[in-house]
Amino acid sequence: MPKDTARTSIARNRKALHEYHIEDTFEAGLVLTGTEVKSLREGRANLTDGFGLIFQGEAWLEGVFIPEYLQGTWTNHAARRRRKLLLHKEEILKISHKLKESGRTLIPLELYFDGSRVKVEMALARGKKDWDKRQALREKQDKREAERAMKSKQYL
């Protein structure tokens, strides 16, 4: 039987694009327990408070909320535990050097199934200032108004 290689999204961090300037993205595997995978198969996760860090030469994902599996027993996982990211050593070194620069952080963008494995798309990002956010919203609104005007002109 052929392997399922479709990319099935579980959760997206929609606030990330509003809160941060994304500089670089990469894919990482996650070390999970069985009940975490079962909970993710039900599509239950929240990435909004998540962040990544490099600790003792290993990459970790903190603050991601994967709720307990409803049919789980005493072997259920902690909902906000620290999870290890699976990356190559060269990638970890590259990320750690970039994180040492001021204002950069490591955030999760998307959690998804790649076949039967759970992957996370991580991003090196720089936080936006309040005026950056207002400017981005203004540009988005102007673009939307221009599209509406173009659409109404087509019907005349």
Side-chain angles (χ1 to χ4, degrees), residues 8-64:
T8 309
S9 181
I10 301 167
R12 293 188 69 97
N13 189 353
R14 295 175 191 210
K15 285 180 66 176
L17 297 177
H18 179 70
E19 299 283 333
Y20 300 97
H21 291 289
I22 306 300
E23 295 179 359
D24 192 16
T25 61
F26 54 93
E27 179 183 69
L30 276 173
V31 177
L32 299 172
T33 63
T35 55
E36 287 174 320
V37 176
K38 289 179 179 183
S39 184
L40 289 175
R41 289 219 182 268
E42 293 176 348
R44 300 171 51 199
N46 189 350
L47 299 175
T48 54
D49 296 332
F51 63 95
L53 57 98
I54 307 294
F55 181 70
Q56 294 180 350
E58 294 180 335
W60 296 89
L61 183 64
E62 291 236 9
V64 172

Side-chain angles (χ1 to χ4, degrees), residues 7-132:
R7 182 174 162 163
T8 309
S9 181
I10 301 167
R12 293 188 69 97
N13 189 353
R14 295 175 191 210
K15 285 180 66 176
L17 297 177
H18 179 70
E19 299 283 333
Y20 300 97
H21 291 289
I22 306 300
E23 295 179 359
D24 192 16
T25 61
F26 54 93
E27 179 183 69
L30 276 173
V31 177
L32 299 172
T33 63
T35 55
E36 287 174 320
V37 176
K38 289 179 179 183
S39 184
L40 289 175
R41 289 219 182 268
E42 293 176 348
R44 300 171 51 199
N46 189 350
L47 299 175
T48 54
D49 296 332
F51 63 95
L53 57 98
I54 307 294
F55 181 70
Q56 294 180 350
E58 294 180 335
W60 296 89
L61 183 64
E62 291 236 9
V64 172
F65 181 72
I66 300 175
E68 290 185 350
Y69 182 57
L70 297 176
Q71 283 79 35
T73 59
W74 57 273
T75 59
N76 242 336
H77 62 278
R80 288 198 186 268
R81 74 178 186 90
R82 181 185 284 188
R83 295 167 180 92
K84 188 173 180 178
L85 293 173
L86 301 174
L87 293 165
H88 291 284
K89 197 64 160 177
E90 297 85 30
E91 288 178 312
I92 293 173
L93 288 174
K94 177 183 161 187
I95 292 165
S96 67
H97 290 302
K98 287 188 177 182
L99 283 177
K100 288 179 183 173
E101 297 176 20
S102 70
R104 294 228 171 98
T105 185
L106 190 59
I107 57 168
L109 295 178
E110 184 179 10
L111 193 62
Y112 58 91
F113 282 107
D114 187 16
S116 62
R117 299 176 190 267
V118 177
K119 304 279 186 169
V120 62
E121 184 178 4
M122 299 292 290
L124 277 168
R126 185 178 302 238
K128 285 185 181 179
K129 306 287 186 214
D130 285 337
W131 58 271
D132 283 335

